[in-house]
């Protein structure tokens, strides 16, 4: 079945460092891909998405490119801030019966940014 | 932005008690979901609904049950709570592929 694999955390960085969180997927067809973020004590929020190959999703300085050839959707940010400390989830949209979709999530990667 | 609410935020309860976790959304979304998040952070879909009177079991087997009598309301019930049910429960709704999540209920069963 479809699945998502993320790099294990925690990832610990100093402020203004470059961030990469790796995500690869296994899927039949061409699902939409997502990054969600979960700040401490909160639910998940959509960070960015890409719906087809070579699409680049971007938001709040984060970006990720849908790479069909490497089945990857790595998250990057050029300069992280302390406020970026959170858990990041990669996800893909999978088909349910009746034409509906569900999200399959990776295991999550915890990011800690220190001043 | 997102108008999806979960109550209670935290719940500590003894073994054998019946509990209901509430989830409501005001966006008029047909699709709603319950995810269980384990301490290692991984999310597992346990129930979903396409609309009123529609409920389906998700990928992870769960002893909980759900109901969908109204579009905006998707409560989850455990008839007899056990320590193995201790977890974070996240409710979500969607209209398209984008999911909106509530803040979750942290359940601890002693």
């Amino acid at each position: 079945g479809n699945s998502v694999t993320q790099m294990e955390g925690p990832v610990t960085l100093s402020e203004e460092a470059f961030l990469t969180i790796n995500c690869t997927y296994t899927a039949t067809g061409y699902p939409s891909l997502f990054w969600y973020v979960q700040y401490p004590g909160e639910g998940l929020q959509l960070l960015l998405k890409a719906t087809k190959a070579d699409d680049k999703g971007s938001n709040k300085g984060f970006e990720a490119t849908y790479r069909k050839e490497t089945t990857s959707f790595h998250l990057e940010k050029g300069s992280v801030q302390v406020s970026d400390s959170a858990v990041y989830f990669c996800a893909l949209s999978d088909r349910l019966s009746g034409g509906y979709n569900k999200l399959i999530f990776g295991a999550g990667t915890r990011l800690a940014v220190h001043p | 932005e997102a108008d999806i609410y979960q109550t209670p935020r935290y719940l500590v309860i003894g073994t054998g008690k019946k509990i209901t976790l509430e989830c409501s959304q005001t966006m008029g979304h047909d699709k709603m979901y319950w995810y269980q998040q384990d301490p290692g952070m991984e999310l597992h879909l346990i129930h979903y609904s396409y609309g009123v009177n529609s409920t389906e079991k998700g990928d992870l087997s769960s002893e909980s049950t759900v109901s969908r009598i109204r579009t905006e309301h998707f409560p989850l019930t455990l008839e007899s709570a056990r320590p193995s049910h201790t977890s974070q429960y996240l409710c979500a709704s969607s209209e398209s592929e984008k999911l909106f999540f509530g803040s979750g209920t942290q359940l601890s069963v002693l």
Side-chain angles (χ1 to χ4, degrees):
Chain A
N2 294 350
S3 65
V4 176
T5 302
Q6 282 182 241
M7 67 184 285
E8 288 188 24
V11 174
T12 304
L13 295 173
S14 298
E15 207 164 24
E16 299 183 4
F18 184 86
L19 169 71
T20 299
I21 300 178
N22 290 339
C23 171
T24 57
Y25 67 90
T26 302
T28 53
Y30 304 102
S32 295
L33 301 174
F34 306 82
W35 277 100
Y36 277 78
V37 58
Q38 185 177 31
Y39 297 103
E42 298 183 14
L44 278 70
Q45 303 171 26
L46 178 65
L47 181 59
L48 54 84
K49 66 180 276 189
T51 57
K52 61 183 187 295
D54 299 324
D55 262 5
K56 178 185 283 188
S58 61
N59 186 26
K60 299 180 182 179
F62 291 90
E63 56 183 37
T65 301
Y66 192 142
R67 300 282 189 205
K68 190 178 66 164
E69 62 277 9
T70 54
T71 61
S72 65
F73 193 54
H74 304 321
L75 182 68
E76 297 181 335
K77 187 175 185 182
S79 176
V80 293
Q81 305 300 313
V82 172
S83 58
D84 293 326
S85 298
V87 180
Y88 292 82
F89 292 89
C90 185
L92 66 80
S93 181
D94 196 17
R95 283 280 174 184
L96 292 166
S97 60
Y100 294 94
N101 295 307
K102 68 176 181 183
L103 288 186
I104 295 177
F105 288 91
T109 302
R110 187 178 300 278
L111 170 66
V113 181
H114 299 289
Chain B
E1 183 198 272
D3 296 304
I4 179 163
Y5 308 101
Q6 290 186 244
T7 57
R9 185 72 181 87
Y10 301 95
L11 180 61
V12 181
I13 201 163
T15 297
K17 299 292 186 183
K18 177 180 179 179
I19 59 166
T20 297
L21 308 185
E22 301 289 347
C23 176
S24 295
Q25 50 98 4
T26 58
M27 296 172 282
H29 291 165
D30 284 329
K31 289 175 279 186
M32 295 190 74
Y33 313 80
W34 276 102
Y35 283 86
Q36 185 173 337
Q37 186 173 27
D38 61 31
M41 304 179 301
E42 197 157 352
L43 288 145
H44 303 282
L45 180 67
I46 52 174
H47 299 284
Y48 59 95
S49 168
Y50 298 136
V52 172
N53 295 326
S54 150
T55 61
E56 303 286 344
K57 290 197 176 294
D59 303 321
L60 180 68
S61 175
S62 173
E63 294 167 344
S64 59
T65 59
V66 291
S67 62
R68 191 86 183 278
I69 298 171
R70 303 196 315 267
T71 298
E72 61 270 23
H73 196 211
F74 191 40
L76 180 146
T77 298
L78 276 165
E79 290 293 333
S80 179
R82 295 206 301 271
S84 61
H85 296 139
T86 293
S87 191
Q88 166 99 313
Y89 292 85
L90 291 170
C91 181
S93 71
S94 73
E95 191 172 58
S96 60
E97 290 182 314
K98 177 180 177 180
L99 264 62
F100 293 90
F101 281 85
S103 297
T105 294
Q106 179 60 53
L107 172 65
S108 297
V109 184
L110 307 177

